[in-house]
Amino acid sequence: KRNPERGLVAFSAVIAQATQDARTIEQGLRQALLRGGEISIVYQPIVGRDGRLARAEALARWTSPTLGVLPPDRFIAVAEQAGLIVELGRHLFGLICDDLEAHPDLRVAINVSPLQLRAPDFVSSFVGELQKRRIDPSRIEIELTETVVVDDSHLAADRLRELRDAGFSTALDDFGTGYSSIGYLRQMNFHVLKIDRSFAAQIASSPQATAMMRSLIELAHGLYLKVVCEGVESAEDLALVRRLGCDLAQGYYLDKPMPMDAFAERWLSQDIA
Ligand code: C2E
Ligand code: CA
Ligand code: CA
Ligand code: CA
């Protein structure tokens, strides 16, 4: 039998638990930003058609003394809601700059939250940090999700122009999820299109997904965009996305995200010399 009230009680219990979790994560995050050392970056290779490294996507990790290792999906949204994302973003950028300084051959792709982008000094604060450390912005690609474009397309267009003028590369991330509009692609002037991993997950079994991916890649090339296919998990996936014209690939088959020491050893061979 259905009991709507029971359902409601259970539902609010779920919400109460989620609120509690968010508060615990928020407090822990504030501590982590004060203390330093708990938050780190792992790197995953993005590989060209020749199999060589093009750049590495920088992905945040947090090892909390009380909560254990938390993936970004657990703490980025909390940081956004708690008003901590700008500070967290700066902290992460500092860590990435440390690695760029230490490894002259390293190029990175960085994830930026819509709220970070909204800060008026977003581009200039990044540029200032890079100048201080003598790091060339062309070594950095800024990945933005389409929510940025949908929420405020004027702001997004302005920021994209600023980033471009400052010498950064820009990528539209997770394309194919949410509101993906082909119109935005034309308007927005990104350098790179990243096709969401949900596509790669389907192409081996679905002719429709394959046709869509092929068309998307053609369309992107028509707009002078390079295409990264995410979620390449097998040799078969890799062969397929390459056959469809994908310029760059990323996924567990190529390598998993890992700390810089391991990454440098496996992917920055020039470092060894
Ligand atoms: P994303 O930007 O789409 O990053 C790719 C995610 O896919 C990463 O998860 C990566 O570990 C995972 N992945 C890579 N290859 C494969 C594969 O072959 N198969 C599957 N199933 N997954 C794969 P991760 O590290 O847990 O990050 C999750 C999301 O958190 C990211 O999605 C990004 O939106 C966000 N994020 C990560 N680091 C940062 C950051 O520093 N700042 C901000 N604002 N967001 C971040
Ligand atoms: Ca990304
Ligand atoms: Ca993505
Ligand atoms: Ca994502």
Side-chain angles (χ1 to χ4, degrees):
K1 265 191 223 155
R2 305 183 85 200
N3 184 339
E5 246 168 62
R6 260 275 265 301
L8 211 63
V9 171
F11 183 58
S12 49
V14 167
I15 290 182
Q17 183 59 50
T19 312
Q20 183 61 44
D21 288 351
R23 223 173 273 141
T24 309
I25 291 173
E26 178 186 335
Q27 278 159 7
L29 211 48
R30 285 186 197 281
Q31 292 290 316
L33 286 169
L34 282 174
R35 283 194 293 253
E38 295 171 20
I39 295 168
S40 64
I41 303 282
V42 290
Y43 293 90
Q44 185 179 33
I46 300 173
V47 170
R49 294 182 70 90
D50 56 4
R52 288 163 70 165
L53 179 72
R55 53 189 164 272
E57 181 167 4
L59 297 158
R61 294 291 180 267
W62 174 27
T63 309
S64 153
T66 50
L67 303 168
V69 180
L70 281 101
D73 290 338
R74 292 278 312 279
F75 64 87
I76 295 286
V78 174
E80 286 175 341
Q81 281 147 25
L84 290 171
I85 191 69
V86 170
E87 195 183 340
L88 176 62
R90 287 222 176 98
H91 182 74
L92 294 167
F93 190 65
L95 295 175
I96 294 164
C97 285
D98 292 344
D99 289 329
L100 286 166
E101 277 186 318
H103 302 280
D105 296 324
L106 178 67
R107 293 163 166 271
V108 296
I110 299 179
N111 294 284
V112 166
S113 138
L115 291 175
Q116 280 173 275
L117 201 72
R118 216 168 277 170
D121 67 342
F122 167 68
V123 177
S124 60
S125 72
F126 271 23
V127 168
E129 185 69 23
L130 293 177
Q131 275 170 350
K132 214 164 63 189
R133 298 171 181 246
R134 298 174 186 284
I135 298 168
D136 197 310
S138 67
R139 295 170 65 195
I140 300 176
E141 187 157 283
I142 306 287
E143 295 193 0
L144 303 172
T145 55
E146 51 205 2
T147 40
V148 169
V149 180
V150 175
D151 286 355
D152 188 340
S153 63
H154 289 290
L155 177 80
D158 285 352
R159 287 288 185 275
L160 279 170
R161 199 174 313 113
E162 288 176 57
L163 285 168
R164 200 176 253 272
D165 290 348
F168 294 96
S169 175
T170 57
L172 180 57
D173 200 2
D174 297 348
F175 195 81
T177 60
Y179 308 91
S180 311
S181 156
I182 284 167
Y184 288 132
L185 263 189
R186 187 174 52 79
Q187 279 171 37
M188 287 294 167
N189 244 321
F190 286 93
H191 295 94
V192 169
L193 179 69
K194 293 192 85 171
I195 299 180
D196 191 71
R197 65 169 176 265
S198 53
F199 278 86
Q202 290 170 44
I203 49 170
S205 58
S206 157
Q208 289 88 346
T210 307
M212 275 190 74
M213 169 106 76
R214 180 185 285 118
S215 308
L216 257 181
I217 293 171
E218 255 176 44
L219 182 105
H221 285 164
L223 297 167
Y224 307 105
L225 295 158
K226 294 277 183 221
V227 177
V228 178
C229 289
E230 302 185 298
V232 170
E233 293 185 348
S234 65
E236 192 190 9
D237 288 347
L238 183 62
L240 256 169
V241 300
R242 281 190 178 151
R243 180 142 33 93
L244 298 176
C246 182
D247 304 289
L248 300 145
Q250 177 181 3
Y252 294 156
Y253 175 70
L254 292 155
D255 223 339
K256 298 204 166 175
M258 66 196 100
M260 182 42 80
D261 286 354
F263 186 85
E265 200 168 299
R266 290 170 70 100
W267 289 95
L268 301 174
S269 51
Q270 298 92 325
D271 263 34
I272 296 162

